[in-house]
Amino acid sequence: MEVLWAPWRMSYILGNDKADGCIFCLATDGVGADNLVLGVGRSTLAMMNKYPYNNGHLLIAPKRHVAAIDELTEEESADLMANLALAKKALQTLMNPEGYNVGLNLGRVAGAGIEEHLHFHIVPRWGGDTNFMTVLGDVRSVPEHIEATCEKLRPFFKNIR
Ligand SMILES: [Zn+2]
């Protein structure tokens, strides 16, 4: 079986998994990761995945550099869930997907590319896109440029919690 979220290994190879080069920590300033940041809330942030598995593949993370789900504060947990719902609503409005994969990869063995900074993936799905599990090891062609998608999604994250 191929490693889940394999493209994230690129960040690892490039040394971006260190706190001082952590894409999520950089994104807390509203910059970084080629400015794929969608919004920064009080304790969390949302950004596009630079290595998406489908058009509209988003990441929701706490602003704090924290790896373990049981180290999240109640506020962070609540904000993460609220922003997952916000992301789903935004994607639904903009792209009308038929389903979603939402989840966490905790630990390198589970496929986390940046295991030191916890982040939720939300991947919109359409009937006819490739089966999720067979997709993972492959290079996907994503029909819309990430930057274009980012620009369209950003207004929905004005009220990010
Ligand atoms: Zn970080």
Side-chain angles (χ1 to χ4, degrees), residues 53-137:
Y53 279 101
N54 228 344
N55 192 24
H57 181 168
L58 308 187
L59 304 170
I60 312 281
K63 286 159 86 171
R64 203 158 54 89
H65 191 78
V66 58
I69 193 167
D70 50 316
E71 284 173 23
L72 292 172
T73 65
E74 279 184 29
E75 180 180 275
E76 285 167 340
S77 296
D79 288 354
L80 285 169
M81 195 52 71
N83 291 330
L84 281 171
L86 177 67
K88 189 263 179 187
K89 202 173 171 183
L91 290 167
Q92 197 65 46
T93 303
L94 193 66
M95 301 174 153
N96 199 32
E98 296 162 42
Y100 298 87
N101 291 104
V102 178
L104 290 168
N105 299 330
L106 298 175
R108 188 82 66 200
V109 73
I114 304 177
E115 63 180 335
E116 297 85 0
H117 195 137
L118 176 149
H119 52 283
F120 278 91
H121 294 259
I122 176 164
V123 184
R125 302 300 309 275
W126 291 267
D129 67 10
T130 314
N131 176 274
F132 187 60
M133 293 309 290
T134 60
V135 155
L136 296 174

